[in-house]
Amino acid sequence: MSDPHVHVEIGLGRAGAEVRNVLASTFGLVADLPATVETGCGQRVPRARTSPHPRSVTCLACREFASRRHRALAEQLASMSGMPGLAIGAEDAARVVAWHRDLADRFDDAG
């Protein structure tokens, strides 16, 4: 029986389709994305069975993984945002921190 769930790719917050699209539009050439990916619940599934959007993810373990990962990214950026030499300003960093926290909350919301 096939897995009916929609999962979260384990590379959440790293290079994914969005980064690939930026590279493609900048340089014109980018390698193809892999057909299957590892997920937050430890499975390997077709990329088409994954989503970064909380409303689409139906795998509970992946939702929990995504929530933890977004919270960790928010905390990491929040702790770095006061450091001199950061490539983005404090206001932009605060917006990104809030965005990751909001996503974490939405992944926590099972409904």
Side-chain angles (χ1 to χ4, degrees), residues 77-78 80-97:
L77 182 56
M80 293 181 350
S81 65
M83 298 175 80
L86 190 63
I88 63 173
E91 286 182 23
D92 289 335
R95 276 194 291 275
V96 175
V97 166

Side-chain angles (χ1 to χ4, degrees), residues 7-108:
H7 298 271
V8 169
E9 186 177 346
I10 200 167
L12 187 67
R14 294 190 302 224
E18 295 84 10
V19 172
R20 179 188 176 279
N21 290 340
V22 169
L23 290 172
S25 67
T26 303
F27 300 109
L29 296 173
V30 174
D32 290 335
L33 291 170
T36 62
V37 295
E38 189 173 350
T39 66
C41 67
Q43 294 187 55
R44 188 153 198 85
V45 301
R47 178 176 297 282
R49 297 297 304 164
T50 66
S51 176
H53 306 291
R55 69 181 179 277
S56 300
V57 176
T58 59
C59 172
L60 181 57
C62 281
R63 291 182 72 86
E64 291 169 354
F65 165 82
S67 177
R68 286 191 313 270
R69 183 72 179 124
H70 279 291
R71 282 193 206 294
L73 289 168
E75 295 312 311
Q76 185 178 25
L77 182 56
S79 69
M80 293 181 350
S81 65
M83 298 175 80
L86 190 63
I88 63 173
E91 286 182 23
D92 289 335
R95 276 194 291 275
V96 175
V97 166
W99 180 78
H100 278 291
R101 287 179 177 154
D102 176 62
L103 271 176
D105 289 343
R106 290 191 286 148
F107 274 111
D108 276 343

